[in-house]
Amino acid sequence: MDTLGYLMDGFGVALQPHNLMFALLGAFLGTLIGALPGLGPANGVAILIPLAFSLGLAPETALIMLTSVYAGAMYGGRISSILLNIPGDEPAMMTCLDGYPMAQNGKASEALAISAIASFMGSLLATIGLILLAPLLASFALTFGPAEYFALFMLAFATLGGITGKNPIKTVVAACLGLMIATVGIDSTGVQRYTFGVLELFEGVDFIIAIVGLFAISELLFFIEERAGRGNEKMNINKLSLSWKDIRGILPTSVRGGLLGFIAGVLPGAGASLGSFISYTFEKRLLGSKGYFGKGDPRGVAAPEAGNNGASSGALVPMLTLGVPGSGTTAVLLAMLISLNVTPGPLMFTQNADIVWGVIAALLIGNFLLLILNIPLVGIFVKLLSVPPMYLLPIVTMVAFVGIYSISNTTFDLYFMVAFGVAGYILRKLEIPLVPVILGLLLGPEMEKNLRHAMEISDGDWMILWDSGLAIGLWAFAGLGLILPYVLGPLLRRGMSKKPPTEGTPESD
């Protein structure tokens, strides 16, 4: 009953006219961003964070807008997957397998509508799971001491690469780089570390500057290098002719995919890519010869879309309850919260209940808004795919620069942002992931604080880090997190890299 009461209070926050307006704006912009190949939700949220600051939004309004961008980008990623066989982001890769053959068979509108409905079902189920699971996990997390929190942070880093990571060693290198950056500034004892006498570095590296530089500016440089001056392939959209029978046929698939995706999202480091893969694989094996997967089966579109959208909501569970992001995008959202002086974790459910439950209620509302937006307005989103990047790049750049400057009103931050952008470009060229860098920067200070606290309690005895059953369990899971990428990673990547056949018409079910 307490949860229901909190949820009603959350609806009171989410249904305020200005919050509802920003939720709608975030959903629309997120879908546009998701439709652009290569950007993805993490980049979309990073690009729009400066906008939230420059508008002076309240914490709950800013988070509602950015989580709506997150959800919208997960919806939008399917558009280019279906029409162009180019995933909007990695979780949308599995949608190519049956979505693109459907489009080639003259059923592009049906594929887009099915994917929107499946995305809605997966995200709705996962949001309900978030409502039920998050308060329980938050209450459990209140039993954590400094040693347990340190072990939890180690678990976050150990599972960061996920089983979709191409090179776990590079993931570790990136995380260490982020931890190194986190040590810049004045520590808790008043000692300067790596400031080199630069006054602007005394307070450390600003999360927002690092995120916008690493994601938005580096993406800008990649656009310039690879895509500037050329538009994308055009695709004609047929008139929608989806029947209730067609919708009823994908509902069981959407429910199964949403539940599997939610479970994948709750696991730190797994994320939406795993959610889409296991949902598609499970559905294909469950139906067997009853389906024609890879040739344009509607259930092959519904399963991965329900899975990746379920995982995106599931990834909010560890972020809100433990302060540990479950995906790259939630790591960016975590930085946003910290910058707003809101500390994610179990106490957030009591100290900032209006923010938590306002965001959860906004997710429920946003699911319906996205469904309404995505079916009738899909033609608008499709037209965006034909706009040459040379026209989109100046807009992205303007938002980043104006937003960052409006936060601090200093040109130093602009130069710093560009420096992070160049560094991000180099790291991506070396195939070193950026999310671990951000996570190291975000969790490094809290990790150090808990380690110091544990050492003070034990009078310098390192055994306190393994002194409880809970801590031992977390260390054990961290060990598994380091091993699993080597065992399961190659198998998962092989499944996600399969190309769909593009010829032939599927037989009737």
Side-chain angles (χ1 to χ4, degrees), residues 70-93:
Y70 181 20
M74 297 304 297
Y75 269 68
R78 79 201 196 286
I79 296 176
S80 58
S81 295
I82 291 171
L83 299 183
L84 307 176
N85 204 24
I86 302 173
D89 55 4
E90 188 177 347
M93 289 176 65

PDB file of all heavy atoms in Angstrom, residues 70-93:
ATOM      1  N   TYR A  70      15.614   8.955 -23.123  1.00  0.00           N
ATOM      2  CA  TYR A  70      16.146   7.594 -23.071  1.00  0.00           C
ATOM      3  C   TYR A  70      15.143   6.599 -23.657  1.00  0.00           C
ATOM      4  O   TYR A  70      15.459   5.804 -24.556  1.00  0.00           O
ATOM      5  CB  TYR A  70      16.468   7.265 -21.620  1.00  0.00           C
ATOM      6  CG  TYR A  70      17.046   5.899 -21.338  1.00  0.00           C
ATOM      7  CD1 TYR A  70      17.646   5.123 -22.318  1.00  0.00           C
ATOM      8  CD2 TYR A  70      17.004   5.376 -20.041  1.00  0.00           C
ATOM      9  CE1 TYR A  70      18.181   3.880 -22.033  1.00  0.00           C
ATOM     10  CE2 TYR A  70      17.540   4.145 -19.738  1.00  0.00           C
ATOM     11  CZ  TYR A  70      18.116   3.395 -20.739  1.00  0.00           C
ATOM     12  OH  TYR A  70      18.650   2.166 -20.449  1.00  0.00           O
ATOM     13  N   ALA A  71      13.900   6.661 -23.143  1.00  0.00           N
ATOM     14  CA  ALA A  71      12.872   5.738 -23.625  1.00  0.00           C
ATOM     15  C   ALA A  71      12.575   5.972 -25.106  1.00  0.00           C
ATOM     16  O   ALA A  71      12.415   5.021 -25.880  1.00  0.00           O
ATOM     17  CB  ALA A  71      11.596   5.901 -22.790  1.00  0.00           C
ATOM     18  N   GLY A  72      12.510   7.239 -25.506  1.00  0.00           N
ATOM     19  CA  GLY A  72      12.230   7.554 -26.899  1.00  0.00           C
ATOM     20  C   GLY A  72      13.314   7.061 -27.837  1.00  0.00           C
ATOM     21  O   GLY A  72      13.029   6.574 -28.938  1.00  0.00           O
ATOM     22  N   ALA A  73      14.571   7.183 -27.417  1.00  0.00           N
ATOM     23  CA  ALA A  73      15.679   6.721 -28.250  1.00  0.00           C
ATOM     24  C   ALA A  73      15.646   5.203 -28.421  1.00  0.00           C
ATOM     25  O   ALA A  73      16.003   4.683 -29.490  1.00  0.00           O
ATOM     26  CB  ALA A  73      17.012   7.154 -27.643  1.00  0.00           C
ATOM     27  N   MET A  74      15.217   4.493 -27.376  1.00  0.00           N
ATOM     28  CA  MET A  74      15.084   3.043 -27.500  1.00  0.00           C
ATOM     29  C   MET A  74      13.988   2.691 -28.503  1.00  0.00           C
ATOM     30  O   MET A  74      14.099   1.718 -29.260  1.00  0.00           O
ATOM     31  CB  MET A  74      14.777   2.413 -26.136  1.00  0.00           C
ATOM     32  CG  MET A  74      15.877   2.587 -25.096  1.00  0.00           C
ATOM     33  SD  MET A  74      17.494   1.972 -25.629  1.00  0.00           S
ATOM     34  CE  MET A  74      17.149   0.233 -25.836  1.00  0.00           C
ATOM     35  N   TYR A  75      12.907   3.456 -28.519  1.00  0.00           N
ATOM     36  CA  TYR A  75      11.865   3.269 -29.529  1.00  0.00           C
ATOM     37  C   TYR A  75      12.413   3.587 -30.922  1.00  0.00           C
ATOM     38  O   TYR A  75      12.213   2.843 -31.881  1.00  0.00           O
ATOM     39  CB  TYR A  75      10.690   4.222 -29.253  1.00  0.00           C
ATOM     40  CG  TYR A  75       9.601   3.679 -28.372  1.00  0.00           C
ATOM     41  CD1 TYR A  75       9.812   3.430 -27.027  1.00  0.00           C
ATOM     42  CD2 TYR A  75       8.323   3.446 -28.871  1.00  0.00           C
ATOM     43  CE1 TYR A  75       8.808   2.967 -26.200  1.00  0.00           C
ATOM     44  CE2 TYR A  75       7.303   2.980 -28.062  1.00  0.00           C
ATOM     45  CZ  TYR A  75       7.542   2.739 -26.721  1.00  0.00           C
ATOM     46  OH  TYR A  75       6.541   2.276 -25.906  1.00  0.00           O
ATOM     47  N   GLY A  76      13.098   4.731 -31.047  1.00  0.00           N
ATOM     48  CA  GLY A  76      13.518   5.228 -32.356  1.00  0.00           C
ATOM     49  C   GLY A  76      14.564   4.380 -33.043  1.00  0.00           C
ATOM     50  O   GLY A  76      14.674   4.415 -34.276  1.00  0.00           O
ATOM     51  N   GLY A  77      15.347   3.630 -32.271  1.00  0.00           N
ATOM     52  CA  GLY A  77      16.419   2.839 -32.863  1.00  0.00           C
ATOM     53  C   GLY A  77      15.948   1.827 -33.880  1.00  0.00           C
ATOM     54  O   GLY A  77      16.705   1.399 -34.761  1.00  0.00           O
ATOM     55  N   ARG A  78      14.666   1.470 -33.798  1.00  0.00           N
ATOM     56  CA  ARG A  78      14.140   0.444 -34.714  1.00  0.00           C
ATOM     57  C   ARG A  78      13.904   0.983 -36.107  1.00  0.00           C
ATOM     58  O   ARG A  78      13.835   0.217 -37.072  1.00  0.00           O
ATOM     59  CB  ARG A  78      12.825  -0.092 -34.149  1.00  0.00           C
ATOM     60  CG  ARG A  78      11.653   0.831 -34.409  1.00  0.00           C
ATOM     61  CD  ARG A  78      10.485   0.628 -33.495  1.00  0.00           C
ATOM     62  NE  ARG A  78       9.288   1.264 -34.040  1.00  0.00           N
ATOM     63  CZ  ARG A  78       9.065   2.564 -34.050  1.00  0.00           C
ATOM     64  NH1 ARG A  78       9.949   3.383 -33.525  1.00  0.00           N
ATOM     65  NH2 ARG A  78       7.949   3.044 -34.568  1.00  0.00           N
ATOM     66  N   ILE A  79      13.751   2.305 -36.270  1.00  0.00           N
ATOM     67  CA  ILE A  79      13.329   2.878 -37.555  1.00  0.00           C
ATOM     68  C   ILE A  79      14.369   2.622 -38.640  1.00  0.00           C
ATOM     69  O   ILE A  79      14.061   2.093 -39.713  1.00  0.00           O
ATOM     70  CB  ILE A  79      13.035   4.386 -37.402  1.00  0.00           C
ATOM     71  CG1 ILE A  79      11.839   4.585 -36.456  1.00  0.00           C
ATOM     72  CG2 ILE A  79      12.745   5.007 -38.765  1.00  0.00           C
ATOM     73  CD1 ILE A  79      11.528   6.039 -36.154  1.00  0.00           C
ATOM     74  N   SER A  80      15.621   2.982 -38.368  1.00  0.00           N
ATOM     75  CA  SER A  80      16.654   2.755 -39.378  1.00  0.00           C
ATOM     76  C   SER A  80      16.991   1.270 -39.500  1.00  0.00           C
ATOM     77  O   SER A  80      17.437   0.820 -40.565  1.00  0.00           O
ATOM     78  CB  SER A  80      17.916   3.557 -39.034  1.00  0.00           C
ATOM     79  OG  SER A  80      18.414   3.207 -37.761  1.00  0.00           O
ATOM     80  N   SER A  81      16.783   0.498 -38.438  1.00  0.00           N
ATOM     81  CA  SER A  81      17.015  -0.950 -38.529  1.00  0.00           C
ATOM     82  C   SER A  81      16.064  -1.584 -39.532  1.00  0.00           C
ATOM     83  O   SER A  81      16.455  -2.426 -40.345  1.00  0.00           O
ATOM     84  CB  SER A  81      16.816  -1.605 -37.155  1.00  0.00           C
ATOM     85  OG  SER A  81      17.774  -1.156 -36.240  1.00  0.00           O
ATOM     86  N   ILE A  82      14.806  -1.176 -39.486  1.00  0.00           N
ATOM     87  CA  ILE A  82      13.790  -1.764 -40.358  1.00  0.00           C
ATOM     88  C   ILE A  82      13.893  -1.231 -41.781  1.00  0.00           C
ATOM     89  O   ILE A  82      13.818  -1.990 -42.752  1.00  0.00           O
ATOM     90  CB  ILE A  82      12.386  -1.498 -39.775  1.00  0.00           C
ATOM     91  CG1 ILE A  82      12.197  -2.302 -38.480  1.00  0.00           C
ATOM     92  CG2 ILE A  82      11.293  -1.838 -40.781  1.00  0.00           C
ATOM     93  CD1 ILE A  82      10.948  -1.949 -37.706  1.00  0.00           C
ATOM     94  N   LEU A  83      14.103   0.070 -41.915  1.00  0.00           N
ATOM     95  CA  LEU A  83      14.055   0.682 -43.246  1.00  0.00           C
ATOM     96  C   LEU A  83      15.368   0.589 -44.002  1.00  0.00           C
ATOM     97  O   LEU A  83      15.371   0.469 -45.232  1.00  0.00           O
ATOM     98  CB  LEU A  83      13.644   2.147 -43.131  1.00  0.00           C
ATOM     99  CG  LEU A  83      12.270   2.420 -42.514  1.00  0.00           C
ATOM    100  CD1 LEU A  83      11.974   3.902 -42.525  1.00  0.00           C
ATOM    101  CD2 LEU A  83      11.177   1.641 -43.235  1.00  0.00           C
ATOM    102  N   LEU A  84      16.490   0.685 -43.279  1.00  0.00           N
ATOM    103  CA  LEU A  84      17.787   0.761 -43.945  1.00  0.00           C
ATOM    104  C   LEU A  84      18.707  -0.413 -43.640  1.00  0.00           C
ATOM    105  O   LEU A  84      19.797  -0.496 -44.193  1.00  0.00           O
ATOM    106  CB  LEU A  84      18.510   2.059 -43.543  1.00  0.00           C
ATOM    107  CG  LEU A  84      17.738   3.373 -43.727  1.00  0.00           C
ATOM    108  CD1 LEU A  84      18.560   4.538 -43.200  1.00  0.00           C
ATOM    109  CD2 LEU A  84      17.400   3.576 -45.191  1.00  0.00           C
ATOM    110  N   ASN A  85      18.280  -1.314 -42.744  1.00  0.00           N
ATOM    111  CA  ASN A  85      19.145  -2.400 -42.276  1.00  0.00           C
ATOM    112  C   ASN A  85      20.383  -1.852 -41.571  1.00  0.00           C
ATOM    113  O   ASN A  85      21.444  -2.476 -41.555  1.00  0.00           O
ATOM    114  CB  ASN A  85      19.570  -3.308 -43.438  1.00  0.00           C
ATOM    115  CG  ASN A  85      19.952  -4.704 -42.958  1.00  0.00           C
ATOM    116  OD1 ASN A  85      19.506  -5.151 -41.906  1.00  0.00           O
ATOM    117  ND2 ASN A  85      20.780  -5.387 -43.724  1.00  0.00           N
ATOM    118  N   ILE A  86      20.242  -0.642 -40.975  1.00  0.00           N
ATOM    119  CA  ILE A  86      21.317  -0.014 -40.205  1.00  0.00           C
ATOM    120  C   ILE A  86      20.802   0.216 -38.792  1.00  0.00           C
ATOM    121  O   ILE A  86      19.899   1.038 -38.591  1.00  0.00           O
ATOM    122  CB  ILE A  86      21.749   1.338 -40.817  1.00  0.00           C
ATOM    123  CG1 ILE A  86      22.212   1.151 -42.261  1.00  0.00           C
ATOM    124  CG2 ILE A  86      22.855   1.974 -39.989  1.00  0.00           C
ATOM    125  CD1 ILE A  86      22.491   2.465 -42.978  1.00  0.00           C
ATOM    126  N   PRO A  87      21.302  -0.497 -37.802  1.00  0.00           N
ATOM    127  CA  PRO A  87      20.791  -0.317 -36.441  1.00  0.00           C
ATOM    128  C   PRO A  87      21.016   1.109 -35.943  1.00  0.00           C
ATOM    129  O   PRO A  87      22.091   1.677 -36.121  1.00  0.00           O
ATOM    130  CB  PRO A  87      21.614  -1.316 -35.608  1.00  0.00           C
ATOM    131  CG  PRO A  87      22.213  -2.247 -36.591  1.00  0.00           C
ATOM    132  CD  PRO A  87      22.383  -1.486 -37.866  1.00  0.00           C
ATOM    133  N   GLY A  88      19.981   1.698 -35.323  1.00  0.00           N
ATOM    134  CA  GLY A  88      20.147   3.008 -34.714  1.00  0.00           C
ATOM    135  C   GLY A  88      21.159   2.965 -33.592  1.00  0.00           C
ATOM    136  O   GLY A  88      21.882   3.923 -33.349  1.00  0.00           O
ATOM    137  N   ASP A  89      21.224   1.836 -32.888  1.00  0.00           N
ATOM    138  CA  ASP A  89      22.226   1.598 -31.864  1.00  0.00           C
ATOM    139  C   ASP A  89      22.386   0.089 -31.718  1.00  0.00           C
ATOM    140  O   ASP A  89      21.699  -0.687 -32.394  1.00  0.00           O
ATOM    141  CB  ASP A  89      21.846   2.260 -30.526  1.00  0.00           C
ATOM    142  CG  ASP A  89      20.465   1.824 -30.048  1.00  0.00           C
ATOM    143  OD1 ASP A  89      19.847   0.972 -30.708  1.00  0.00           O
ATOM    144  OD2 ASP A  89      20.001   2.341 -29.018  1.00  0.00           O
ATOM    145  N   GLU A  90      23.294  -0.338 -30.851  1.00  0.00           N
ATOM    146  CA  GLU A  90      23.598  -1.771 -30.749  1.00  0.00           C
ATOM    147  C   GLU A  90      22.391  -2.630 -30.365  1.00  0.00           C
ATOM    148  O   GLU A  90      22.187  -3.694 -30.957  1.00  0.00           O
ATOM    149  CB  GLU A  90      24.742  -1.995 -29.749  1.00  0.00           C
ATOM    150  CG  GLU A  90      25.233  -3.433 -29.729  1.00  0.00           C
ATOM    151  CD  GLU A  90      26.404  -3.633 -28.782  1.00  0.00           C
ATOM    152  OE1 GLU A  90      26.992  -2.626 -28.329  1.00  0.00           O
ATOM    153  OE2 GLU A  90      26.725  -4.794 -28.491  1.00  0.00           O
ATOM    154  N   PRO A  91      21.546  -2.217 -29.385  1.00  0.00           N
ATOM    155  CA  PRO A  91      20.400  -3.064 -29.041  1.00  0.00           C
ATOM    156  C   PRO A  91      19.424  -3.295 -30.202  1.00  0.00           C
ATOM    157  O   PRO A  91      18.677  -4.259 -30.193  1.00  0.00           O
ATOM    158  CB  PRO A  91      19.721  -2.280 -27.905  1.00  0.00           C
ATOM    159  CG  PRO A  91      20.801  -1.463 -27.306  1.00  0.00           C
ATOM    160  CD  PRO A  91      21.686  -1.088 -28.453  1.00  0.00           C
ATOM    161  N   ALA A  92      19.435  -2.402 -31.197  1.00  0.00           N
ATOM    162  CA  ALA A  92      18.512  -2.547 -32.335  1.00  0.00           C
ATOM    163  C   ALA A  92      19.047  -3.479 -33.408  1.00  0.00           C
ATOM    164  O   ALA A  92      18.382  -3.672 -34.437  1.00  0.00           O
ATOM    165  CB  ALA A  92      18.213  -1.175 -32.933  1.00  0.00           C
ATOM    166  N   MET A  93      20.222  -4.064 -33.208  1.00  0.00           N
ATOM    167  CA  MET A  93      20.810  -4.935 -34.224  1.00  0.00           C
ATOM    168  C   MET A  93      19.917  -6.132 -34.533  1.00  0.00           C
ATOM    169  O   MET A  93      19.756  -6.518 -35.685  1.00  0.00           O
ATOM    170  CB  MET A  93      22.190  -5.422 -33.775  1.00  0.00           C
ATOM    171  CG  MET A  93      23.267  -4.344 -33.784  1.00  0.00           C
ATOM    172  SD  MET A  93      24.852  -4.945 -33.144  1.00  0.00           S
ATOM    173  CE  MET A  93      25.269  -6.153 -34.392  1.00  0.00           C
TER     174      MET A  93
END
